[in-house]
């Protein structure tokens, strides 16, 4: 697949999407956000993908936020459309049926921090910096950041980051629970991400999709996550994966899941 602002590469059934505007620190202009949307629509249709890695081109930034130059022309109506579109795209990332891991290789600010938070896990490089600096511009996060940051690090620290616009380093992000792992550099972080995706790919694919759905259900307003889990658990018994997984255990062999 060819995109103007992204690199799309599949190796060993793992898709790597690289935001590719290094000269602008991979900031998300309108075209880039549409490319991200198109890439995830395409990924959903691609058979046999084990998982997706999202990262930024170059060594300096994952994504340094929305493209600030585009804010000059915004009025209320267009600002609402912009935020809603970002919300929809990031929601679809969060609800992918296969694991999506952000390899955060430098600045993850504003929309960049928000993009990383829409992914299921985050692996940071030592030089990564996270922050929600929107108040410096007189705005607030608009791609789900006020909600997801609280989910990961709790209200007190989320408010501190949103209100002070301070950046935190990778180790602090790890201590706060925002990232899963910190690795020396981008290559090591990619290796770690692939290791995790490969491990997950040995499990029952329908169960993986249901586990993602159920964890997301915890955060859905008006949804009883416990009831959601009961239904999801029972639905798995419609398919073949559970028969294969249980038989393989009892027969002391490795399961061969078909994803059904
Ligand atoms: N939107 C548009 N352009 C951006 C950008 C953004 N969010 N972040 C960086 N850039 C551009 C810069 O304008 C610069 O472009 P230029 O070379 O044409 O002047 C280029 O990327 C390099 O950035 P620069 O500021 O020179 O790098 P730096 O190392 O001095 O600083 C940052 C890095 C991340 C601290 C700084 O770029 C920054 O504060 N960016 C904005 C972060 C932000 O507020 N994000 C939330 C937006 S809602």
């Amino acid at each position: 697949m060819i995109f103007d602002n992204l690199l799309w590469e599949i190796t060993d059934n793992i898709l790597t999407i690289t935001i590719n505007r290094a000269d602008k620190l991979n900031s998300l202009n309108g075209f880039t956000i549409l490319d991200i949307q198109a890439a995830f629509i395409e990924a959903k249709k691609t058979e046999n993908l084990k998982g997706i890695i999202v990262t930024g081109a170059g060594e300096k930034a994952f994504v340094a936020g929305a493209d600030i130059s585009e804010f000059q022309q915004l009025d209320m109506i267009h600002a609402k459309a912009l935020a809603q579109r970002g919300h929809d795209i990031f929601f679809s990332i969060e609800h992918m049926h296969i694991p999506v891991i952000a390899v955060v290789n430098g600045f993850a600010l504003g929309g960049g921090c928000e993009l990383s938070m829409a992914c299921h896990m985050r692996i940071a490089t030592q030089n990564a910096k996270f922050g929600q600096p929107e108040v410096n511009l007189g705005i607030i996060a608009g791609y789900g950041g006020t909600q997801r940051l609280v989910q990961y690090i709790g209200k007190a620290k989320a408010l501190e980051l949103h209100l002070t616009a301070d950046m935190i380093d990778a180790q602090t992000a790890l201590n706060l629970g925002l990232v899963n792992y910190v690795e020396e550099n981008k290559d090591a972080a990619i290796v770690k991400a692939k290791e995790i995706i490969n491990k997950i790919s040995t499990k029952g694919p329908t169960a993986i999709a249901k586990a993602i759905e159920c964890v997301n259900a915890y955060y859905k307003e008006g949804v009883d996550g416990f009831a959601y889990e009961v239904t999801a658990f029972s639905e798995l018994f419609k398919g073949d994966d559970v028969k294969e997984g249980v038989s393989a255990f009892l027969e002391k062999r490795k399961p061969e899941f078909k994803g059904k």
Side-chain angles (χ1 to χ4, degrees):
M1 293 293 302
I2 296 181
F3 299 93
D4 288 341
N5 302 288
L6 305 178
L7 303 176
W8 162 290
E9 191 214 326
I10 298 177
T11 309
D12 185 26
N13 295 108
I14 297 176
L15 166 63
T16 302
I17 294 172
T18 306
I19 317 296
N20 193 26
R21 294 181 78 220
D23 59 327
K24 297 288 176 193
L25 303 190
N26 303 319
S27 56
L28 302 176
N29 64 4
F31 293 117
T32 307
I33 200 98
L34 287 177
D35 278 354
I36 294 175
Q37 180 178 41
F40 275 89
I41 290 171
E42 200 54 40
K44 232 177 186 161
K45 293 190 281 186
T46 306
E47 283 182 16
N48 300 321
L49 272 190
K50 295 180 193 168
I52 302 172
I53 294 170
V54 181
T55 191
E59 296 301 322
K60 203 168 162 184
F62 171 69
V63 167
D67 189 325
I68 296 169
S69 65
E70 293 185 349
F71 289 160
Q72 268 181 323
Q73 297 97 40
L74 279 191
D75 56 18
M76 262 179 79
I77 291 174
H78 291 98
K80 190 167 185 185
L82 178 111
Q84 190 58 58
R85 185 180 62 187
H87 272 248
D88 294 346
I89 296 168
F90 286 10
F91 183 89
S92 74
I93 295 173
E94 189 170 48
H95 288 80
M96 284 296 286
H97 61 294
I98 50 175
V100 184
I101 300 183
V103 164
V104 181
N105 56 315
F107 292 111
L109 304 176
C113 188
E114 292 171 294
L115 173 61
S116 81
M117 291 193 291
C119 299
H120 300 134
M121 294 175 220
R122 282 145 299 285
I123 301 175
T125 55
Q126 289 283 4
N127 69 330
K129 293 252 190 303
F130 294 81
Q132 297 285 168
E134 290 89 346
V135 290
N136 286 333
L137 306 169
I139 55 170
I140 60 167
Y143 289 166
T146 60
Q147 304 305 295
R148 289 195 182 94
L149 192 59
V150 183
Q151 294 168 3
Y152 288 117
I153 70 174
K155 187 174 176 183
K157 280 290 172 187
L159 274 170
E160 185 180 333
L161 291 193
H162 280 294
L163 302 187
T164 63
D166 282 350
M167 292 185 212
I168 54 171
D169 62 18
Q171 196 54 47
T172 307
L174 182 69
N175 296 341
L176 288 172
L178 180 57
V179 306
N180 297 72
Y181 296 96
V182 177
E183 298 291 339
E184 188 64 31
N185 53 37
K186 188 171 169 182
D187 286 349
I190 298 262
V191 167
K192 181 73 184 173
K194 288 189 172 174
E195 206 177 281
I196 295 171
I197 289 172
N198 279 322
K199 179 188 279 188
I200 294 171
S201 75
T202 65
K203 319 298 179 195
T206 41
I208 294 300
K210 287 280 186 219
I212 292 170
E213 259 182 49
C214 287
V215 172
N216 282 329
Y218 177 84
Y219 298 102
K220 268 198 196 126
E221 209 184 311
V223 172
D224 176 350
F226 287 100
Y228 199 95
E229 183 188 271
V230 169
T231 305
F233 178 81
S234 65
E235 281 172 355
L236 287 169
F237 285 81
K238 278 194 304 209
D240 294 337
D241 278 358
V242 62
K243 293 186 191 76
E244 172 59 13
V246 172
S247 306
F249 177 81
L250 297 174
E251 291 161 18
K252 300 191 187 308
R253 62 174 173 82
K254 280 195 173 157
E256 286 181 29
F257 293 114
K258 302 271 190 296
K260 289 181 183 157

